[in-house]
Amino acid sequence: MSLREKIVAEIQARGPVPFSRYMEMCLYDPELGYYSRAVEKFGKAGDFFTSSDVHAVFGRLLARQFEEMWRALGSPARLEVVEFGPGRGLFASDVLDWAAKSFPQFFAAVHYRLVESSPALRTRLRGTLAAHLASGKASVSEGATLPRSTTPVIVFANEFFDALPVEVVTAEGEVRVGVENSRLVERCVPVTPPVLEFLNRYGVHPETHERVEAGLAAQTAMSEIASTVDRGFIIVIDYGYTRAEQLAGRHRGTLRAFRQHSMSADAYEAPGEQDLTADASFTALAEAAEAHGLHAAKVLTQSQFLMGIGEANRFADAFADCRLPQERAKVALQLKHLVTPAGMGERFQVLVMSRGLPDQTLEGLSGLRFGRE
């Protein structure tokens, strides 16, 4: 049975399903979902690039930021770094390798936990991080969240929240996915109270011929993650927006599909064979975390965040392994792709939050200082 047939069978048995249920099955069905299939998803051979696919400097810069956060926490003897949605583990590998080389005291304190729901990706992680797993420096967890601990923690989520299921709302109502002549079709029902509250509080109501998404699952996930942070930081890097940006007319109808590096607006074309993603509401994420006592800094672009971390030493982390001018030129192009508007620099937003520390400690982090005196 294909995933499309499985979805159709559920709809025929239960009636039209919320779009979030359809998206959940497409991405996370245990056997046939996009992230459950043992097929390459990342890099040139896959469907999309992440920042870690571009160059190791992304992980190296974040290792520098993590080390600064560790010092801000008083250089504790043990620090947990918890990454949600780690993919194939390139970022974690880059962070740990660079920390071992450049920040040995921080490396001695850190334990890196990778939280991944996909069995196929957990297998990939165990290969990528075999040495760090064998040494006990890293571990792989299946659960969506972790129990609260008094150990200081840095939670990192890169392109995690945009892959959580969303509800879709049009001017006619809330979308349900039904079946007509064995085809998947959309039906609209009156907007349900939780979605209506989300739109009123964090977003906008769609105008004629317009669609907007309501990320209730992302908000719930952030609440669960924030509830485990007793003292430490959360860093979110993702496609996303603030409510002010939506009120200004941007980030409406952001649901899209990726397949072989091509983007499509057709979420029904190939269930389980294409990635589905929607921009995350940073306003909703920040408020969910603040409800658990975290303080949120102003949302930045990835460009501003990385420039803030790298400007002090002129991005020496990027060029440390270069021996020839040609190597420096290649790395300079890769770095440019990470930080410039033409590359990834303006496409991704960064939200940094802290708990158990003075607000000025958060605002003083190098990643949040770009452009200041």
Side-chain angles (χ1 to χ4, degrees):
M1 176 183 286
S2 69
L3 183 59
R4 181 183 290 275
E5 291 170 334
K6 190 172 183 178
I7 292 169
V8 168
E10 179 170 320
I11 294 171
Q12 289 174 335
R14 298 172 49 187
V17 299
F19 184 85
S20 59
R21 172 57 181 161
Y22 168 76
M23 186 171 174
E24 178 186 19
M25 293 183 73
C26 285
L27 297 181
Y28 302 109
D29 181 85
E31 297 176 350
L32 302 169
Y34 179 78
Y35 287 109
S36 302
R37 297 164 61 239
V39 177
E40 185 59 76
K41 302 166 182 64
F42 309 93
K44 192 175 294 187
D47 297 316
F48 54 84
F49 285 100
T50 67
S51 292
S52 292
D53 292 308
V54 176
H55 190 272
V57 69
F58 183 72
R60 293 177 182 183
L61 288 171
L62 267 296
R64 183 172 294 278
Q65 184 66 97
F66 292 169
E67 192 272 343
E68 183 184 345
M69 290 173 164
W70 171 70
R71 285 188 283 109
L73 288 162
S75 305
R78 181 176 174 87
L79 173 77
E80 288 274 344
V81 174
V82 181
E83 182 182 357
F84 284 85
R88 53 182 171 169
L90 289 183
F91 175 81
S93 179
D94 292 338
V95 167
L96 289 170
D97 291 347
W98 195 245
K101 180 177 180 179
S102 301
F103 309 111
Q105 291 180 308
F106 165 68
F107 181 74
V110 74
H111 176 267
Y112 203 110
R113 187 183 303 274
L114 303 104
V115 181
E116 177 54 63
S117 61
S118 164
L121 288 177
R122 288 200 300 274
T123 298
R124 291 287 299 274
L125 290 172
R126 293 187 181 101
T128 304
L129 295 159
H132 292 300
L133 291 169
S135 70
K137 184 56 62 176
S139 60
V140 178
S141 296
E142 177 181 352
T145 57
L146 300 171
R148 186 164 183 169
S149 170
T150 57
T151 301
V153 64
I154 298 171
V155 176
F156 181 73
N158 180 42
E159 295 191 61
F160 170 72
F161 289 101
D162 73 304
L164 296 180
V166 297
E167 302 299 350
V168 175
V169 183
T170 73
E172 289 73 41
E174 189 175 326
V175 169
R176 293 288 184 270
V177 181
V179 176
E180 186 176 286
N181 298 325
S182 299
R183 292 176 54 250
L184 296 171
V185 295
E186 291 188 352
R187 299 280 185 263
C188 285
V189 301
V191 180
T192 54
V195 174
L196 184 60
E197 181 183 357
F198 186 96
L199 296 183
N200 287 338
R201 191 161 187 169
Y202 307 114
V204 296
H205 290 259
E207 298 177 5
T208 304
H209 307 305
E210 198 172 58
R211 299 161 76 92
V212 297
E213 297 85 30
L216 275 66
Q219 187 183 21
T220 298
M222 173 56 83
S223 182
E224 292 173 349
I225 291 168
S227 71
T228 69
V229 177
D230 186 66
R231 188 165 182 262
F233 299 89
I234 298 177
I235 303 175
V236 177
I237 303 179
D238 223 320
Y239 296 104
Y241 59 89
T242 62
R243 185 167 191 263
E245 288 177 308
Q246 270 208 326
L247 290 173
R250 300 191 293 276
H251 296 273
R252 302 186 184 190
T254 67
L255 181 73
R256 52 204 177 271
F258 288 96
R259 190 180 189 190
Q260 297 177 343
H261 299 282
S262 295
M263 186 176 74
S264 167
D266 187 353
Y268 306 105
E269 181 181 7
E273 298 177 22
Q274 58 183 4
D275 188 25
L276 298 179
T277 177
D279 290 7
S281 168
F282 281 103
T283 302
L285 295 179
E287 188 166 307
E290 287 171 340
H292 291 278
L294 279 90
H295 172 68
K298 180 182 177 181
V299 176
L300 301 175
T301 65
Q302 177 171 293
S303 175
Q304 292 169 321
F305 185 62
L306 296 183
M307 291 291 285
I309 300 170
E311 67 176 351
N313 67 352
R314 300 188 178 186
F315 289 95
D317 302 304
F319 302 102
D321 300 331
C322 297
R323 300 291 178 265
L324 300 172
Q326 300 95 309
E327 293 174 333
R328 289 186 65 86
K330 181 179 179 180
V331 170
L333 286 174
Q334 293 168 327
L335 182 60
K336 182 179 179 181
H337 187 64
L338 284 173
V339 301
T340 62
M344 294 178 162
E346 300 294 319
R347 297 210 318 257
F348 291 97
Q349 307 289 315
V350 182
L351 174 63
V352 185
M353 297 163 284
S354 67
R355 187 171 193 268
L357 292 160
D359 293 351
Q360 58 266 31
T361 300
L362 175 65
E363 303 296 339
L365 293 174
S366 60
L368 305 180
R369 286 204 304 261
F370 180 69
R372 297 186 199 170
E373 290 276 321

